[in-house]
């Protein structure tokens, strides 16, 4: 049993004669999968950062790229490519989450240490606006497909109502005569539909987004961070329990994570809370699952006497539970009104603030078959 001793006295004073032993494991939320026991399948992410690279190359050296870089989307192009994690790494984070009552927070546990993923931190990392939606707006709102609503569609895209985002991207890349105003707007559609809110394997432009993009000031002011986060979190956490429809949301998510492929919407932007000190972070486009597993099971690695750290021999790991921010935002920025209270999350936050040294023994969780023990290599069938 994972326990923690705390000394408390009257009026906040420490009393050496009085000790309280907390059952940390019972007070913390349980993990979705038991520690070190995870499904070994892969995740299929519809969103792709390749579009960001293609947009950057297509607009390179143009005034339109300057507009994009100076807008609320500019932060997406400042994120180091090596911090954008691969699909299998995202899948490993999802299977490491704890189960809470929170609707708009996810807490993966990595190397025994919790880390938080929520709207405010998502906004800090991406630089996207995370203010409130206008009253009555929901992410699944769609503009009525009436003829008058396609006026700007015809001007920007043409008569093809079934065009894909990939086709729009190729237009920008191949049409040397395309005017700058059109290139910029098509690239913005590619970023929104192909990266931020991608929900199908072959995304297409949404009518509501095409109408909004006519006015760039209105478009850039829209809370795209909140929109993208809402799509992402909807597919990364267990859904609500609904009698007669979804009796076991935790089990349902576990089944999805054990499938050969897992649908994950807009999921390849991950909060950069895993810090690999020095030069230990592999110098390639992203971390692999092997990198993650090596770091998780070797969390404490001293620096050699000569100060040179060779990657592969030992990967030091620091997990930062909460992202610090000194940036001032507008009122209600990054706040979710419908969030639920969870006393176990409060307890977890208290331990974080007190500097508690989390370990794997602190966490409970069910061993769900089929599963594989990543540390010992044992596989269990159903």
């Amino acid at each position: 049993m994972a326990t923690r001793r705390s000394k408390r006295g009257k009026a906040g004073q420490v009393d050496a004669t009085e000790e309280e032993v907390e059952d940390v494991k019972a007070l913390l939320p349980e993990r979705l999968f038991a520690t070190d026991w995870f499904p070994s399948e892969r995740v299929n992410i519809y969103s792709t950062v390749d579009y960001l690279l293609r947009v950057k190359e297509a607009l390179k050296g143009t005034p339109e790229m300057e507009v994009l870089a100076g807008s609320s989307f500019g932060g997406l192009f400042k994120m180091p490519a090596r911090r954008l994690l691969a699909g299998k790494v995202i899948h490993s984070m999802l299977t490491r989450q704890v189960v809470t009552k929170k609707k708009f927070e996810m807490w993966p546990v990595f190397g025994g240490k919790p880390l938080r993923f929520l709207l405010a931190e998502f906004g800090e990392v991406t630089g996207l606006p995370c203010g409130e939606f206008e009253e009555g707006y929901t992410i699944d709102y769609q503009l009525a497909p009436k003829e008058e609503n396609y006026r700007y569609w015809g001007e920007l895209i043409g008569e093809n109502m079934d065009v894909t985002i990939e086709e729009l991207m190729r237009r920008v890349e191949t049409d040397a005569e395309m005017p700058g105003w059109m290139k910029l707007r098509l690239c913005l559609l590619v970023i929104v539909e192909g990266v931020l809110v991608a929900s199908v394997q072959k995304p297409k432009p949404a009518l509501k987004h095409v109408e909004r993009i006519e006015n760039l000031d209105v478009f850039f002011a829209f809370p795209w961070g909140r929109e993208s986060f809402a799509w992402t979190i909807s597919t990364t956490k267990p859904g609500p329990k609904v009698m007669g429809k979804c009796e076991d949301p935790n089990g349902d998510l576990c089944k999805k994570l054990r499938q050969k492929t897992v649908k994950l919407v807009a999921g390849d932007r991950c909060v950069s809370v895993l810090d690999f000190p020095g030069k230990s972070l592999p110098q390639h486009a992203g971390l692999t699952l092997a990198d993650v597993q090596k770091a998780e099971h070797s969390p404490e690695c001293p620096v050699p006497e000569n100060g040179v750290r060779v990657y592969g021999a030992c990967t030091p790991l620091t997990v930062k539970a909460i992202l610090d921010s000194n940036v001032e935002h507008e009122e209600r920025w990054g706040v979710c009104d419908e969030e639920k209270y969870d006393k176990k999350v409060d307890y977890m936050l208290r331990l974080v603030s007190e500097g508690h040294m989390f370990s794997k023994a602190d966490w409970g969780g069910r061993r769900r078959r089929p599963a594989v023990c990543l540390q010992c290599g044992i596989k269990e069938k159903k």
Side-chain angles (χ1 to χ4, degrees), residues 184-327:
L184 176 59
R185 284 167 171 80
L186 291 182
C187 283
L188 288 171
L189 282 177
V190 168
I191 294 172
V192 169
E193 306 287 5
V195 180
L196 299 185
V197 297
S199 57
V200 293
Q201 193 169 9
K202 294 183 178 181
K204 299 178 182 180
L207 183 56
K208 64 177 181 179
H209 295 152
V210 174
E211 184 187 55
R212 183 176 286 117
I213 211 171
E214 182 176 7
N215 186 321
L216 289 182
D217 291 336
V218 172
F219 184 86
F220 286 133
F222 184 79
W224 292 111
R226 187 177 290 269
E227 176 102 348
S228 181
F229 178 83
W231 280 106
T232 302
I233 204 72
S234 68
T235 57
T236 57
K237 287 175 57 66
K241 182 176 181 179
V242 181
M243 300 298 292
K245 293 184 179 180
C246 182
E247 299 285 351
D248 183 14
N250 297 341
D252 288 350
L253 179 60
C254 289
K255 289 179 182 178
K256 291 179 182 179
L257 293 173
R258 286 196 295 262
Q259 294 172 357
K260 293 294 182 182
T261 60
V262 180
K263 172 186 174 182
L264 178 60
V265 174
D268 51 3
R269 292 155 319 284
C270 184
V271 179
S272 300
V273 288
L274 297 183
D275 180 27
F276 291 74
K279 296 182 178 180
S280 62
L281 184 64
Q283 301 297 311
H284 52 68
L287 297 176
T288 67
L289 185 57
D291 298 325
V292 171
Q293 292 173 3
K294 182 183 289 292
E296 181 174 26
H297 296 303
S298 303
E300 303 297 337
C301 293
V303 178
E305 291 182 2
N306 61 7
V308 178
R309 183 180 287 121
V310 179
Y311 178 73
C314 188
T315 307
L317 171 71
T318 300
V319 177
K320 196 170 187 179
I322 300 174
L323 189 67
D324 296 327
S325 174
N326 297 319
V327 181

Side-chain angles (χ1 to χ4, degrees), residues 22-240:
E22 296 177 338
D23 186 351
V24 176
K25 191 171 185 177
L27 295 173
L28 284 173
E30 286 194 346
R31 299 177 65 146
L32 186 63
F33 289 88
T35 300
D36 288 334
W37 288 89
F38 306 106
S40 56
E41 305 301 346
R42 64 186 179 90
V43 64
N44 181 26
I45 300 179
Y46 291 154
S47 167
T48 171
V49 294
D50 290 344
Y51 280 131
L52 291 178
L53 302 178
R54 292 170 67 180
V55 165
K56 187 175 182 179
E57 182 63 26
L59 298 182
K60 186 177 180 179
T62 66
E64 288 71 37
M65 188 64 216
E66 293 182 9
V67 172
L68 186 55
S71 72
S72 57
F73 284 33
L76 297 175
F77 297 92
K78 297 176 183 178
M79 296 174 66
R82 63 180 186 171
R83 287 193 178 184
L84 299 174
L85 307 185
K88 286 186 177 180
V89 180
I90 300 296
H91 182 263
S92 73
M93 293 298 179
L94 298 184
T95 59
R96 284 163 170 77
Q97 67 179 291
V98 297
V99 179
T100 75
K101 296 178 182 178
K102 296 288 187 178
K103 295 173 61 179
F104 306 106
E105 287 185 16
M106 186 173 70
W107 284 86
V109 175
F110 193 79
K113 304 172 180 64
L115 56 98
R116 185 175 67 178
F117 177 62
L118 80 171
L119 176 58
E121 293 174 337
F122 180 80
E124 293 289 351
V125 171
T126 62
L128 294 169
C130 296
E132 292 188 297
F133 291 132
E134 60 182 294
E135 187 175 355
Y137 178 85
T138 60
I139 62 172
D140 55 358
Y141 161 77
Q142 295 297 332
L143 196 62
K146 299 178 180 179
E147 183 177 350
E148 57 266 29
N149 290 335
Y150 278 96
R151 178 192 59 80
Y152 192 66
W153 181 294
E155 182 179 342
L156 179 64
I157 297 177
E159 297 181 357
N160 187 353
M161 304 299 178
D162 202 39
V163 67
T164 66
I165 289 301
E166 175 61 29
E167 290 171 337
L168 294 182
M169 187 70 250
R170 285 203 299 266
R171 282 191 200 177
V172 174
E173 293 171 327
T174 58
D175 188 351
E177 302 300 322
M178 182 180 292
W181 68 267
M182 182 177 290
K183 280 191 175 183
L184 176 59
R185 284 167 171 80
L186 291 182
C187 283
L188 288 171
L189 282 177
V190 168
I191 294 172
V192 169
E193 306 287 5
V195 180
L196 299 185
V197 297
S199 57
V200 293
Q201 193 169 9
K202 294 183 178 181
K204 299 178 182 180
L207 183 56
K208 64 177 181 179
H209 295 152
V210 174
E211 184 187 55
R212 183 176 286 117
I213 211 171
E214 182 176 7
N215 186 321
L216 289 182
D217 291 336
V218 172
F219 184 86
F220 286 133
F222 184 79
W224 292 111
R226 187 177 290 269
E227 176 102 348
S228 181
F229 178 83
W231 280 106
T232 302
I233 204 72
S234 68
T235 57
T236 57
K237 287 175 57 66

